[in-house]
Every structure is written in C-alpha cells, then in structure tokens.
Amino acid sequence: MANKPEDRILMAQIGAAHGIRGEVRVKPFGDDPLSFGDYGKLESEDGSRKFKVKRARVQKNVVVTKFEGVNDRNEAEALNGLKLYIPRERLPETEDEDEFYHSDLIGLKALDENKEQIGTVLALLDFGAGDLIEIAPKSGKSLLFPFTKAVVPVINLEEGFVEVHAPEGFYEEGEKEPEDGSTPD
C-alpha cells in the first residue's frame, strides 16, 4: 500500500552533479546536514525509486553525496531537482513541545492574536538569515513572517492552528516613492 503524502517527510533535494564519478550535491532539510541518510533508503516523491547513501560529506552549504548505483556524471545529472523522502514512521517522535516536523505545520490554520484566521501555513523557508513561515491568505500574495517564538508563540497541532503575532508595522504600507524621481524634503 502506498504511503499518503502526509505519511512522508521531505529529507533532502538533489542538486547538480559533482565531479565525474556519480556524486551529487544534496540540500538537506533538518538540523544536522548529514542526518538525511540516517533513516534507511530515501525515496522519490512517488516512491518508485529508492536511494541508499553510500557516503556523504559536508562541503560549504551542500552535502556532496554518493548514492549506491549512481556511478557516472550522466546518471548524477539525471537526478538534479529530485526530492527525497522517508516514511514518517522511521523518524523518532519529537521530545520537546517546541520541536516538530515542518510537514506537521503545512496546511494548519494561521490565526492572529485575536483568533481571527489570516490564512493557511504554506511552507517553512530558510534563505540563510533565519526561518520564515509562509502564510497563504484568503486572497492576495502570501505573507512571510519570521518563524520565531515572539512572532509564532502558539503551535497547536491537536487543534490544527498556529498563532501569528505580526511584528509592529507589518501591515502598514511604506512611504510612496516620488514619481518624478526627486527626493522628499
């Protein structure tokens, strides 16, 4: 029986080939960059392909990885962009109330401090300057908030919501740029 998407955890994404012997650059998702290979074989999104990590080493901001059965650059290049998952049951339960898997938050309601729904959690992102939580509002462009305890003080998985306290001035529009190119006095 195939796993439902919510029963799978995204562990890493394969990037460009590295060298000529089948190694690839991998972007891991998790606290420990080398942990993506600790839970057995990784699977493609549809589960049709399985990958076993033969060796991996951290190099700058990626993990150069050799998968069993990927032996040359052409095979490695064919994997570029592939997302790698594991079944949820292979991961340990979180031990701390402030620990959770990102996939647990996707789809939760996002409420403001008055318990009014502002949207739905779309993603957790990290562009290198700290995690962001992306909220899809009922209409308009998605909203990005710092994913900190101050801005997201409540995460309630049982009731299916996160509480988002927007930083002061978040919803205010900035000053308009002068259309004639001059600077304001």
Side-chain angles (χ1 to χ4, degrees):
M1 184 175 124
N3 286 333
K4 297 182 294 232
E6 60 269 17
D7 293 338
R8 301 160 56 77
I9 301 292
L10 177 62
M11 297 298 290
Q13 183 169 359
I14 298 175
H18 183 86
I20 60 170
R21 294 190 172 91
E23 289 182 319
V24 292
R25 295 174 184 175
V26 172
K27 179 183 180 191
F29 301 109
D31 292 342
D32 176 359
L34 294 173
S35 68
F36 69 91
D38 291 349
Y39 303 100
K41 288 186 178 176
L42 299 152
E43 303 174 357
S44 58
E45 191 165 8
D46 63 4
S48 66
R49 298 185 67 190
K50 298 195 183 331
F51 298 88
K52 183 174 183 186
V53 175
K54 193 170 183 179
R55 65 180 178 271
R57 68 185 185 279
V58 176
Q59 186 172 317
K60 296 184 181 172
N61 58 351
V62 296
V63 179
V64 175
T65 306
K66 172 74 171 145
F67 290 107
E68 283 185 5
V70 180
N71 298 310
D72 65 40
R73 187 170 182 90
N74 289 340
E75 292 175 4
E77 286 174 347
L79 300 176
N80 194 347
L82 188 67
K83 293 181 178 178
L84 300 173
Y85 297 81
I86 63 168
R88 171 73 189 240
E89 65 266 8
R90 285 196 212 151
L91 288 174
E93 287 301 312
T94 56
E95 296 175 15
D96 185 341
E97 67 180 39
D98 289 335
E99 272 187 347
F100 43 83
Y101 294 113
H102 286 190
S103 62
D104 292 340
L105 302 183
I106 309 302
L108 294 183
K109 289 184 285 194
L111 309 179
D112 65 14
E113 46 281 295
N114 300 316
K115 306 290 187 252
E116 299 289 324
Q117 185 167 347
I118 57 174
T120 305
V121 177
L122 194 59
L124 286 152
L125 308 166
D126 182 359
F127 297 111
D131 288 338
L132 298 172
I133 187 167
E134 183 176 9
I135 307 296
K138 293 175 186 92
S139 65
K141 293 181 181 176
S142 48
L143 307 169
L144 293 174
F145 295 97
F147 190 55
T148 63
K149 190 77 170 161
V151 176
V152 187
V154 177
I155 296 170
N156 189 324
L157 297 176
E158 287 79 36
E159 294 184 32
F161 73 88
V162 298
E163 196 172 295
V164 178
H165 295 196
E168 189 172 333
F170 181 83
Y171 294 108
E172 295 173 11
E173 290 202 29
E175 289 186 30
K176 300 282 186 224
E177 294 288 323
E179 290 185 28
D180 63 4
S182 66
T183 57
D185 296 329

